[in-house]
Amino acid sequence: MDATKGKVDQGMQNPGGQMDKPVGYHFMESMLPKVVKRRVHALKRLQVQCANIEAKFYEEVHELERKYAALYQPLFEKRRDIVTGTVEPTDEECEWHSDREEEEELAEEIKEKAVIEDSKKEEATPQEDAKGIPEFWLTIFKSVDMLSDMLQEHDEPILKHLKDIQVKFSEPGQPMSFTLEFHFEPNGYFNNAVLTKVYKMKSEPDASDPFSFEGPEIIDCEGCQIDWHKGKDVTVKTIKKKQKHKGRGTVRTITKQVPNDSFFNFFNPVKVSPDGEMDEDSEFTLATDFEIGHFFRERIVPRAVLYFTGEALEDDESEQDEEGDDDDDEGDFDPKKEQPQPAECKQQ
Amino acid sequence: MDATKGKVDQGMQNPGGQMDKPVGYHFMESMLPKVVKRRVHALKRLQVQCANIEAKFYEEVHELERKYAALYQPLFEKRRDIVTGTVEPTDEECEWHSDREEEEELAEEIKEKAVIEDSKKEEATPQEDAKGIPEFWLTIFKSVDMLSDMLQEHDEPILKHLKDIQVKFSEPGQPMSFTLEFHFEPNGYFNNAVLTKVYKMKSEPDASDPFSFEGPEIIDCEGCQIDWHKGKDVTVKTIKKKQKHKGRGTVRTITKQVPNDSFFNFFNPVKVSPDGEMDEDSEFTLATDFEIGHFFRERIVPRAVLYFTGEALEDDESEQDEEGDDDDDEGDFDPKKEQPQPAECKQQ
């Protein structure tokens, strides 16, 4: 983009002059005859009207999503009950076409030796009496890079108590938002049964830049207070510091609490500055947070089991491979991920 | 993806063995205790149900798109009338906030010299009596790399006669598809007033691979017969070839028609093989064609003026820049382009 802009500016300073080595074809609106330029402006006004219609479209898509959230709900509850071991699925509910195929293939491939190993392993496994699917969500956190980047060793025992993640949409008529709910079983770390993160969205074109509108975008988020048990807060660490008295020269040791890396900082996000002025680090942190929130909503929660087994990861990676071939100017245009896009992540 | 698969296979062949340098965390479904594995299968069955619900969601999104197409229609007709010069917009319709700003900035920047140049240019411009917006669509074809890649010099005079591009959606109850209509004014090249390209879509999960479902995908397309005037068909060229008679040694010159590069080959696409077997070249050509069809539908037609002025190109490019920073495993995950995605491009 910068390159293009540079070219256009250059052209404007030398109207009619030859641009050196133009990369592709660059048209200059400013060079149009006045009568044509005013017609182009008329088209731009029409385009603003289109953006306003588009905003209504995305509101309706949001309503559709609310409607469908209710249809998914019973399936997600069933999932939670199986994950936590509250419900044991029937044999019929567990029938999976690949069961036999997989076993046959495996038997074929690894032959006797491996089979012996396998039976040994099974004997040695104490988890045959496991409840539900142990470490279901923790496994997902470890498998998905975007999440494992946040994950620290001290977070892992806590996340073993994570029972479910749910997405709740704002009610109609309310400002558009969605809430991620992290449901925990009683644990030795904090008292909250649910930790929440709310993502606020904006779904109308910006008056000052209507053409950048591409559907709802996340504009802010809010965490929650975690009611940690004494000494269990992993988001802080206590450091000891020796302090020398300037006058007397005596040394004393003080303890000090400092921030500590942890996934649970997710519930204490950077604040969006009301005047829009933020330093680059905070902006980056916030943009990443919005991406993660969006990823939970769009990918992890709707298809958790596929992240647990790794199937969804393979899809994500293969799409990345395909994109490698794409080197045109619209390089990032992935028709698989195009439209409508009711949840853009952008801080203001 | 291949790397991951390799890792998993390797792990399966050496159960319990250490994988060399594991890249990230890789969980192995096959290592789960049997009781847990069957619960995971229960979750997979629930996930298939989710995919089926999702398919219904996308059908409703398609209906919404049909509904909104009707709302955009009058604006697109107005656009066409302004582009072709059928209608001259009023002064009010042409008022654009940047008019004064732009002029002031320009005046500030380029000072007197350029202003003089500018007025010279205007004097010299014979286009002040231009009709509509000359070469509106051709300019877009030249500006967008995905289209300019197809464009040949001999296509340009023909595309000057392109009046409008429209998208028409399939009727409810019909198999899902959309049609691109290229409307031409009478011209010296072919008799058709409209050239069409139909993109057929599929909007249900594949029974053999339900988890890959991410919304409707383009599965096939169909062009149209162009009724070229004699000698005007730019998609073929006549070559002269000298042929030597083997026995007699005499030489004669024969003429032969061979395919010629042209945008108009877009209306004579590669056929999808019914048995799914296609060579790599044809697959690539078809995948590119689907991408272009999707791009016309989602970007060019809805926001043509922004591609004409270049504003949309800058957006596309700046998004590409942003993506450069993103190097996690879900590297291609762009929250701006995520969900719902009712038009995926994939051939079967």
Side-chain angles (χ1 to χ4, degrees):
Chain A
M1 177 185 156
D2 289 337
T4 314
K5 277 211 157 169
K7 284 265 180 284
V8 173
D9 290 345
Q10 195 181 336
M12 276 164 64
Q13 280 156 28
N14 306 295
Q18 193 62 37
M19 293 188 277
D20 49 284
K21 286 201 182 180
V23 181
Y25 175 86
H26 285 295
F27 166 81
M28 276 165 274
E29 197 183 342
S30 61
M31 306 278 281
L32 286 173
K34 271 194 182 140
V35 290
V36 176
K37 205 169 166 184
R38 72 185 280 287
R39 290 172 199 141
V40 171
H41 288 173
L43 294 196
K44 285 195 185 184
R45 284 178 71 105
L46 290 175
Q47 199 63 41
V48 174
Q49 291 180 53
C50 285
N52 291 327
I53 294 175
E54 210 183 343
K56 294 218 180 70
F57 168 76
Y58 284 116
E59 272 169 37
E60 290 210 46
V61 172
H62 188 76
E63 277 314 298
L64 259 190
E65 288 188 305
R66 284 176 41 78
K67 173 181 157 186
Y68 274 81
L71 300 178
Y72 291 125
Q73 193 55 29
L75 301 174
F76 290 163
E77 282 168 13
K78 191 81 190 261
R79 174 175 76 187
R80 180 201 56 209
D81 291 345
I82 293 171
V83 165
T84 56
T86 317
V87 159
E88 187 63 49
T90 65
D91 284 348
E92 200 188 336
E93 286 172 335
C94 296
E95 212 171 278
W96 188 248
H97 57 79
S98 71
D99 280 17
R100 190 149 301 177
E101 288 165 34
E102 266 177 24
E103 274 161 31
E104 278 168 15
E105 273 173 33
L106 200 66
E108 197 64 44
E109 272 174 27
I110 61 182
K111 300 272 156 79
E112 287 145 34
K113 184 178 162 286
V115 171
I116 295 160
E117 291 252 16
D118 210 39
S119 58
K120 264 192 215 159
K121 190 178 75 61
E122 268 175 36
E123 274 169 51
T125 304
Q127 293 187 326
E128 283 300 335
D129 59 351
K131 201 180 146 221
I133 304 176
E135 306 187 10
F136 180 76
W137 292 104
L138 175 58
T139 302
I140 294 169
F141 271 76
K142 285 171 156 179
S143 306
V144 176
D145 284 7
M146 205 187 279
L147 303 182
S148 68
D149 285 351
M150 291 191 286
L151 195 67
Q152 305 299 318
E153 223 178 309
H154 49 248
D155 296 327
E156 297 193 14
I158 314 178
L159 286 170
K160 285 182 185 172
H161 298 285
L162 182 55
K163 285 195 303 183
D164 200 19
I165 308 179
Q166 295 175 18
V167 180
K168 298 283 161 66
F169 292 98
S170 53
E171 295 293 318
Q174 296 296 307
M176 199 186 279
S177 73
F178 67 91
T179 302
L180 301 177
E181 294 183 351
F182 295 76
H183 292 252
F184 284 85
E185 58 188 10
N187 63 72
Y189 300 92
F190 48 71
N191 291 317
N192 319 49
V194 185
L195 301 181
T196 58
K197 181 93 172 251
V198 183
Y199 285 93
K200 297 175 189 173
M201 293 162 83
K202 178 173 165 291
S203 182
E204 61 261 11
D206 208 281
S208 69
D209 184 18
F211 301 143
S212 69
F213 182 68
E214 303 247 7
E217 54 184 13
I218 296 174
I219 51 165
D220 197 2
C221 65
E222 210 167 272
C224 69
Q225 187 81 37
I226 304 179
D227 184 16
W228 293 100
H229 292 182
K230 195 166 184 285
K232 296 290 187 179
D233 184 350
V234 294
T235 66
V236 291
K237 59 184 169 194
T238 306
I239 54 165
K240 282 187 177 138
K241 216 176 163 182
K242 282 189 177 153
Q243 218 173 32
K244 198 173 176 180
H245 191 283
K246 273 184 185 159
R248 280 172 292 182
T250 52
V251 175
R252 59 169 190 172
T253 304
I254 57 158
T255 61
K256 201 178 148 187
Q257 285 211 323
V258 295
N260 196 21
D261 283 346
S262 164
F263 162 68
F264 291 92
N265 289 317
F266 185 65
F267 300 100
N268 183 25
V270 176
K271 293 270 171 298
V272 171
S273 156
D275 60 6
E277 299 222 340
M278 292 178 75
D279 64 75
E280 221 173 271
D281 269 8
S282 301
E283 266 188 28
F284 180 78
T285 307
L286 206 57
T288 307
D289 185 297
F290 291 178
E291 256 187 64
I292 292 165
H294 182 81
F295 198 77
F296 269 118
R297 170 192 160 170
E298 289 300 332
R299 311 297 293 182
I300 307 272
V301 172
R303 40 184 77 197
V305 67
L306 303 180
Y307 284 96
F308 177 76
T309 61
E311 284 154 286
L313 295 170
E314 286 173 16
D315 288 350
D316 291 351
E317 278 166 24
S318 75
E319 275 177 23
Q320 194 177 9
D321 289 349
E322 279 165 29
E323 287 229 334
D325 302 335
D326 193 356
D327 59 1
D328 56 44
D329 242 6
E330 292 73 37
D332 70 327
F333 174 77
D334 180 353
K336 291 185 194 167
K337 302 200 158 180
E338 183 50 19
Q339 195 273 356
Q341 318 112 320
E344 188 169 326
C345 299
K346 183 170 143 187
Q347 77 257 33
Q348 287 201 302
Chain B
M1 176 183 157
D2 289 339
T4 315
K5 278 211 157 168
K7 285 265 178 285
V8 173
D9 291 345
Q10 196 180 338
M12 277 164 63
Q13 280 156 28
N14 306 296
Q18 193 62 37
M19 291 189 279
D20 49 281
K21 288 200 184 180
V23 182
Y25 176 87
H26 284 297
F27 167 82
M28 274 164 276
E29 196 183 341
S30 61
M31 305 279 281
L32 286 174
K34 270 194 183 140
V35 291
V36 176
K37 203 168 166 183
R38 70 185 281 287
R39 290 174 199 141
V40 171
H41 288 173
L43 295 196
K44 285 196 186 183
R45 284 178 71 106
L46 291 175
Q47 199 63 44
V48 173
Q49 290 180 53
C50 286
N52 291 328
I53 293 175
E54 210 183 342
K56 293 215 181 73
F57 168 76
Y58 284 114
E59 272 169 35
E60 291 208 44
V61 172
H62 188 76
E63 278 314 298
L64 259 190
E65 288 188 304
R66 284 174 42 77
K67 174 182 156 185
Y68 275 81
L71 300 178
Y72 291 124
Q73 193 55 30
L75 300 175
F76 290 162
E77 281 168 13
K78 190 84 190 259
R79 173 175 76 187
R80 179 201 56 211
D81 291 345
I82 293 170
V83 165
T84 55
T86 317
V87 159
E88 188 63 48
T90 64
D91 283 347
E92 200 189 337
E93 287 172 335
C94 295
E95 211 172 278
W96 188 248
H97 57 79
S98 73
D99 280 17
R100 191 148 302 176
E101 288 166 32
E102 264 176 25
E103 273 162 31
E104 278 168 14
E105 273 173 32
L106 200 67
E108 196 63 42
E109 272 174 27
I110 59 181
K111 300 267 156 82
E112 287 148 33
K113 183 179 163 283
V115 171
I116 295 159
E117 290 254 13
D118 210 39
S119 58
K120 263 191 214 158
K121 191 178 75 62
E122 267 176 34
E123 273 170 50
T125 304
Q127 293 187 328
E128 285 298 334
D129 59 349
K131 200 179 146 222
I133 304 176
E135 305 188 11
F136 180 76
W137 293 103
L138 175 58
T139 301
I140 294 170
F141 270 76
K142 285 171 157 178
S143 306
V144 176
D145 284 8
M146 205 186 279
L147 303 182
S148 68
D149 285 351
M150 292 191 286
L151 195 67
Q152 305 298 320
E153 222 178 309
H154 48 248
D155 296 327
E156 297 192 15
I158 312 179
L159 285 170
K160 286 183 186 172
H161 298 284
L162 182 54
K163 284 194 304 182
D164 200 19
I165 307 179
Q166 296 175 17
V167 180
K168 296 283 162 68
F169 292 97
S170 54
E171 294 294 319
Q174 295 296 307
M176 199 186 280
S177 73
F178 67 92
T179 302
L180 301 176
E181 293 183 352
F182 295 76
H183 292 252
F184 285 84
E185 58 188 11
N187 61 73
Y189 300 92
F190 47 70
N191 290 318
N192 318 50
V194 186
L195 301 180
T196 59
K197 181 92 171 253
V198 183
Y199 286 92
K200 297 175 189 174
M201 294 162 82
K202 179 171 164 293
S203 182
E204 61 259 10
D206 208 282
S208 70
D209 184 18
F211 301 143
S212 69
F213 182 68
E214 305 245 5
E217 55 185 12
I218 296 173
I219 52 166
D220 197 3
C221 65
E222 210 166 273
C224 69
Q225 187 82 38
I226 304 179
D227 184 16
W228 294 100
H229 292 182
K230 195 167 186 284
K232 296 290 187 179
D233 185 350
V234 293
T235 67
V236 291
K237 59 185 168 193
T238 306
I239 53 166
K240 282 187 179 142
K241 217 176 162 181
K242 281 190 178 156
Q243 217 173 33
K244 196 171 175 182
H245 192 282
K246 273 184 186 157
R248 280 173 290 184
T250 51
V251 176
R252 60 169 189 171
T253 305
I254 57 159
T255 62
K256 204 178 146 186
Q257 284 210 324
V258 295
N260 196 21
D261 283 345
S262 163
F263 162 69
F264 292 91
N265 289 316
F266 186 65
F267 300 99
N268 183 25
V270 175
K271 292 272 171 297
V272 171
S273 156
D275 59 7
E277 301 219 341
M278 291 179 74
D279 64 75
E280 221 173 272
D281 269 10
S282 301
E283 267 189 27
F284 180 78
T285 307
L286 206 55
T288 306
D289 185 296
F290 291 178
E291 258 187 61
I292 292 165
H294 182 81
F295 198 77
F296 269 119
R297 170 193 159 170
E298 290 299 333
R299 312 296 295 181
I300 307 273
V301 172
R303 38 184 77 196
V305 68
L306 304 179
Y307 284 95
F308 177 77
T309 62
E311 283 155 286
L313 295 170
E314 287 174 17
D315 287 349
D316 291 351
E317 279 166 25
S318 75
E319 276 177 21
Q320 192 176 13
D321 289 349
E322 280 165 28
E323 288 229 332
D325 302 334
D326 193 356
D327 59 1
D328 57 43
D329 243 2
E330 293 72 37
D332 70 325
F333 173 75
D334 180 354
K336 292 187 197 167
K337 302 201 157 179
E338 183 49 21
Q339 193 274 352
Q341 317 111 321
E344 187 169 327
C345 298
K346 182 173 145 187
Q347 79 257 31
Q348 290 200 302

